[in-house]
Structure formats: C-alpha cells, structure tokens
Amino acid sequence: MLSTCVWFWLLGVPSEAWRFFLISTSVWLMLLSSESFLHALCWSVPYTIPALGLGVVMFGFNAVLAGFFIPISQLGWWYRWAYWVDPIALGTNINWVAAFTNTSWTPSPNFPTGLTGDQILGFFPQSEIRIWVNVIVLLSYIVVWQMVLFMFVRFAGLARK
Amino acid sequence: MRSTDFGDINHLNECVEAYPSSPAYARLMQELDAIGLAARVSQQLLSTKRRATTPTAVGFGRQYLSLLVRQVRTSVINPLSYSFRLAVTVGIMLFSATVWLTLGTRDSAQIYGYIAYLCGVLQFAALVGLAAVPQRVIQRAEAINQRSNSMYSAAAYVLANFTVDLLLLFVFRCVLCALAPSGC
C-alpha cells in the first residue's frame, strides 16, 4: 500500500514500514484520546453549544502545547506541565520523529547547506521525544477518561430520583 | 409532574404502601407473569433505590451486543458522527498539500510549510471530533432514561461505545494514512 500510494509518492516521504506504523498508530491513539475526552465532556456538560465551546477552548489550549505555535520553553512552569496530559502534543511529537528521522533536505537560500532530519527535530524545544513514554501516556489518558465516563454514566440522573 | 401535585402527600404514601396488597396489583402481576416480566416489575415497583438495585432483564453480553449494533447503526447513519469528519479532514489535507507544498520535492525552503501542514492536519483531525458532540448529547439523554428503566448497565454502555470508537477510528486513520501518510 505504501509504495503504490499516490500521495505518499507525491509528497516524497521515504516509504518505510516503521514510519507508516508509527504515524498511523499515533494518529489512532490521538483520535481515541480526543474522543474519550469529548465523550466524557458531553456527559458533564449536557448542552450542545456550551459543550462545543468548552471543547474548542480545550483544543486551543492543547494545540498551543504542541510546540508549533509557541515554543514550550517560552511557556511558564504553571502551563508547561500540561504537555504531559495533552494528547495532541504527544501524538504530534511522535509524528515528527516518524516524518523527519533520517531524512535529508536539499539546500535553499535560507539553508545553504541543506537540512537533515535531526536538525529539523532540533527546531522543536521538546525534540527529545521518548516514543514509548508518549504512547503509554496516551493509553493512560484513554483509560482515565473512559473511567470518568463510566462514573458519569453510572451516577448521572440519580439526583432526580 | 411531582408527587405533591396529587394533593396530600400522606395520602399518597398510604396509597403507595397499600398498592402491593390491592386487587389491581394482583391483576397486574398476573398479566405480567404471562409474559415473564412479573419478577422484574415487582422488584422495580417495590424498590426505593430503583436503578441501583434492580437487575437488568438480560445478561451483560446481550446488553453489550445490542448496544454495539445500535451504536454502529447510529454512527453510520448520522453523518456528523464519522463520515462528515473524515470528509472534511481529507478535504483540508488535500487542499493544504496541493496549495502550499510543492509536491515531490524535499526542498529545505519549504520546511516551515511542511511542518505547518503536518501540525495543522493532525490538530484538525482531532478538532473535528467536536462534530459528534450533538449526537453524544442526545445519546446521553437517551441513556439516562433507558438506564432508569434498568435496560443496561453502565459498563456495557461504556464498553460498547468504546469498541465502536476503536473500530471506526481505525478505519478513519487508515483512510487518512493511505491518502497522505506524510500528513497524518
């Protein structure tokens, strides 16, 4: 599938199996984490508009921590810790490794000597990415939010009795 | 309607206490017995903590399978739950790749665009999960009503929903990664 994939070829990513499995697994875990969080959110805020608003705010906070818009090092300690409970940041950072490790980029006016994948990973302040730690944190995140959801389902509506 | 709408609350309590020994209750039980529901309904009527103590009519496996089938149908029929999200994400992905990136090159001049593309597509894929919020809110109201009638346990509900998310998001990520592996 990799070698025949039109978009894969057009975008020029090295077609190696480990990259594909790393990318696809991290996407799956990231989407499952977000879904678990959103499902629990809908049980805690049972109105569509407030739930949507709160979800957008939470995704905004999470997106900031992914290190693309603002470097993590410029954030205060009171906000930086949230990186470890942010599924988007954790999933995205696994993808940086899969997309850039052992790649090389041709020279350009901004980078006369060209770029290597390791240099690109150095752009990100949190470039020392421990893939297994990220995966375990993502799995824990899913379990925790599913347990929160279970508690909501178990006890929601009891006060009306 | 609340219990006080019936008038004197003491009179209402007397009625509730007298009901199990009344001929009406006996007739009701006789009819329910014919369809095999007498034990369950009797327990529900006499219990003060209804949902916490009343057993469900079928076992966990049957509840799980029924909820699983229902959730798959709901998710496939409702475009907001998965198909809309997938279509929008793929559309944004292809649009971004064709407009902002020179395909097929690994020119370091476009590295910032390339990183922006990867980051944007990933975050958008997670963000469009919000499209399922209206369906989840409706499901919540249904689930509270149905659980009040002891139709299924909380564990069966959560497990069935998680299984469907697991399977459909697997399809979701397969499509994303097959269309643009570098982008997702």
Side-chain angles (χ1 to χ4, degrees):
Chain A
M1 183 171 71
L2 287 178
S3 58
T4 57
C5 175
V6 176
W7 283 100
F8 195 91
W9 175 67
L10 282 176
L11 287 170
V13 171
S15 49
E16 296 167 38
W18 71 270
R19 292 182 198 273
F20 178 77
F21 286 113
L22 200 54
I23 287 171
S24 55
T25 305
S26 65
V27 169
W28 194 23
L29 286 176
M30 191 183 74
L31 292 177
L32 271 174
S33 317
S34 306
E35 201 68 33
S36 305
F37 164 74
L38 280 174
H39 203 166
L41 177 72
C42 291
W43 275 78
S44 59
V45 185
Y47 304 98
T48 303
I49 300 300
L52 279 171
L54 199 55
V56 169
V57 168
M58 290 304 294
F59 274 111
F61 283 132
N62 287 352
V64 167
L65 290 163
F68 174 66
F69 300 111
I70 302 171
I72 296 285
S73 56
Q74 289 184 14
L75 299 173
W77 60 268
W78 46 270
Y79 188 43
R80 205 181 306 162
W81 65 270
Y83 168 78
W84 290 105
V85 291
D86 179 1
I88 294 178
L90 296 171
T92 310
N93 286 335
I94 295 175
N95 281 351
W96 298 140
V97 175
F100 294 120
T101 304
N102 296 331
T103 58
S104 59
W105 295 67
T106 56
S108 67
N110 287 339
F111 303 101
T113 57
L115 280 172
T116 63
D118 290 339
Q119 283 176 306
I120 297 169
L121 287 174
F123 291 168
F124 303 101
Q126 70 280 32
S127 60
E128 288 184 15
I129 299 159
R130 300 179 190 89
I131 291 175
W132 285 110
V133 174
N134 284 17
V135 168
I136 290 168
V137 174
L138 281 170
L139 286 172
S140 314
Y141 192 86
I142 293 169
V143 170
V144 166
W145 281 113
Q146 289 295 329
M147 287 171 66
V148 171
L149 175 63
F150 173 80
M151 299 303 280
F152 274 125
V153 178
R154 176 71 183 78
F155 296 108
L158 278 186
R160 295 178 190 175
K161 298 296 172 190
Chain B
M1 184 182 290
R2 290 173 296 185
S3 57
T4 48
D5 294 335
F6 289 105
D8 183 5
I9 187 67
N10 292 326
H11 177 63
L12 182 65
N13 284 338
E14 285 167 12
C15 289
V16 169
E17 284 167 13
Y19 180 62
S21 54
S22 67
Y25 180 77
R27 271 201 306 279
L28 175 67
M29 285 299 115
Q30 202 174 6
E31 289 169 6
L32 290 172
D33 198 27
I35 55 173
L37 285 173
R40 181 180 165 205
V41 175
S42 162
Q43 216 167 3
Q44 266 191 324
L45 286 173
L46 300 179
S47 172
T48 51
K49 293 179 181 177
R50 287 194 298 168
R51 195 172 57 193
T53 56
T54 309
T56 49
V58 294
F60 181 85
R62 182 68 180 273
Q63 295 169 33
Y64 171 71
L65 283 177
S66 306
L67 286 167
L68 192 66
V69 170
R70 188 175 74 173
Q71 185 65 14
V72 168
R73 283 182 180 160
T74 312
S75 302
V76 170
I77 289 169
N78 187 347
L80 280 180
S81 55
Y82 284 97
S83 43
F84 170 79
R85 290 155 61 178
L86 186 57
V88 171
T89 309
V90 169
I92 289 285
M93 181 189 297
L94 299 185
F95 174 77
S96 310
T98 49
V99 171
W100 287 308
L101 295 177
T102 309
L103 299 176
T105 63
R106 298 188 72 73
D107 184 355
S108 57
Q110 351 179 2
I111 187 63
Y112 294 118
Y114 201 84
I115 294 171
Y117 170 72
L118 293 174
C119 194
V121 166
L122 272 173
Q123 296 188 356
F124 190 78
L127 177 67
V128 287
L130 286 167
V133 165
Q135 187 198 356
R136 299 286 195 202
V137 170
I138 293 168
Q139 275 181 342
R140 176 190 184 277
E142 285 174 356
I144 288 177
N145 278 337
Q146 289 164 352
R147 278 195 28 78
S148 298
N149 292 309
S150 299
M151 286 176 72
Y152 45 78
S153 66
Y157 177 83
V158 173
L159 197 61
N161 273 279
F162 182 67
T163 312
V164 174
D165 283 343
L166 205 67
L167 296 175
L168 293 183
L169 288 177
F170 183 81
V171 175
F172 195 104
R173 71 100 171 174
C174 282
V175 173
L176 287 190
C177 294
L179 279 176
S182 67
C184 50

